[in-house]
């Protein structure tokens, strides 16, 4: 499967070690429930939705979210995270179809 667009945003942009930042993970995903019919063909569109989102910092997992098909199209997952030091934030998500994709971002605290 082709890689889907996803993005990690950190707010505020400038922070120090020990600060709590807001992490937004956005992914372009249709989140099909499997209950909708295609308007042209009349066939049911197969289910395709995110089932799990995991957050890692320096390859250590710190948050896991279980997700169901009722989440909107192109979902945004938000957490608050205390940045211990410089490192890499990675988000991995899985879908009900077996697709696994990830996105990472290096965090560089100032001070």
């Amino acid at each position: 499967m082709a890689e889907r667009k996803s993005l990690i945003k950190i707010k505020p942009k400038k922070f120090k070690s020990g600060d709590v930042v807001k992490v937004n993970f956005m992914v372009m995903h249709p989140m099909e429930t499997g209950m909708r019919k295609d308007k042209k063909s009349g066939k049911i569109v197969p289910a395709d939705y995110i089932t799990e989102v995991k957050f890692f910092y320096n390859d250590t997992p710190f948050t896991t979210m279980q997700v169901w098909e009722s989440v909107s199209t192109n979902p945004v997952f938000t957490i608050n995270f205390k940045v211990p030091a410089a490192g890499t934030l990675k988000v991995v998500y899985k879908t009900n179809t077996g697709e696994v994709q990830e996105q990472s971002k290096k965090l560089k605290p100032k001070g």
Side-chain angles (χ1 to χ4, degrees):
M1 168 140 293
E3 187 167 326
R4 296 184 191 274
K5 281 187 172 182
S6 59
L7 177 69
I8 297 173
K9 279 189 172 183
I10 307 293
K11 290 183 181 178
K13 289 184 179 181
K14 293 181 181 179
F15 53 90
K16 299 176 189 170
S17 293
D19 284 356
V20 175
V21 297
K22 184 177 177 181
V23 178
N24 286 327
F25 172 63
M26 295 166 258
V27 60
M28 302 298 286
H29 195 282
M31 297 298 285
E32 289 289 349
T33 62
M35 300 179 74
R36 186 176 67 86
K37 283 187 178 180
D38 184 76
K39 290 182 181 177
K40 291 183 180 175
S41 67
K43 294 182 179 177
I44 293 180
V45 177
D48 182 11
Y49 54 89
I50 295 171
T51 57
E52 184 179 86
V53 181
K54 285 187 176 181
F55 289 78
F56 298 80
Y57 195 68
N58 292 334
D59 292 327
T60 302
F62 64 92
T63 299
T64 301
M65 297 177 180
Q66 299 297 320
V67 182
W68 285 267
E69 61 270 34
S70 60
V71 175
S72 69
T73 302
N74 304 328
V76 178
F77 302 95
T78 302
I79 61 167
N80 291 318
F81 175 65
K82 186 175 184 178
V83 181
T88 303
L89 178 69
K90 180 172 75 174
V91 182
V92 178
Y93 69 90
K94 297 178 184 175
T95 69
N96 68 317
T97 61
E99 178 184 343
V100 178
Q101 295 202 17
E102 67 180 59
Q103 180 66 266
S104 357
K105 184 173 186 116
K106 290 187 179 183
L107 300 185
K108 298 175 186 172
K110 308 280 185 202

